[in-house]
Amino acid sequence: QVQLVESGGGLVQPGGSLRLSCAASGSIFSIDYMGWYRQAPGNERELVAVISSGGSANTADSVKGRFTVSRDNAKNLMYLQMNSLKSEDTAAYYCNAVGAGGSRRERFNSWGRGTQVTVSS
């Protein structure tokens, strides 16, 4: 079992910044990809950013130039630095990890419970 816990969400004014963190724990052999997704009320969950174990990262066009994803492989941590936040960034943000773990190095695809980000004046 691999558990993911997000933190760092909150209320911020437009133009402000937040830094989200995702901590992975459990029987982990490797994490190939980690990603941030978000879901606003009434909308489908959408990909925000993804980063490979080698550090190759991609961000959605809607956040490109404002959000930066990074990870610490040694500590199984991932971050999302969010700058110049807009009201449309308001959503629950979820962490996702894909990799191998357990005694048999089985593949896993795990999700965190999410952290709320609200951008409002």
Side-chain angles (χ1 to χ4, degrees), residues 38 47-49 59-68 89 93:
R38 68 184 181 186
L47 176 66
V48 176
T59 53
D61 288 344
S62 58
V63 304
K64 202 173 293 290
R66 300 188 297 121
F67 291 10
T68 302
D89 295 319
Y93 283 71

Side-chain angles (χ1 to χ4, degrees), residues 19-98:
R19 188 192 195 206
L20 304 184
S21 299
C22 171
S25 63
S27 181
I28 299 171
F29 174 73
S30 65
I31 301 179
D32 302 324
Y33 293 94
M34 297 187 80
W36 288 101
Y37 290 74
R38 68 184 181 186
Q39 186 169 19
N43 292 354
E44 294 186 354
R45 189 172 294 188
E46 63 175 358
L47 176 66
V48 176
V50 62
I51 185 167
S52 71
S53 58
S56 178
N58 284 292
T59 53
D61 288 344
S62 58
V63 304
K64 202 173 293 290
R66 300 188 297 121
F67 291 10
T68 302
V69 61
S70 61
R71 63 187 282 184
D72 182 333
N73 290 334
K75 297 181 179 179
N76 290 328
L77 294 170
M78 178 179 61
Y79 306 98
L80 185 67
Q81 178 65 45
M82 305 186 295
N83 299 327
S84 302
L85 282 160
K86 305 176 181 179
S87 58
E88 50 262 44
D89 295 319
T90 295
Y93 283 71
Y94 298 89
C95 173
N96 172 252
V98 178

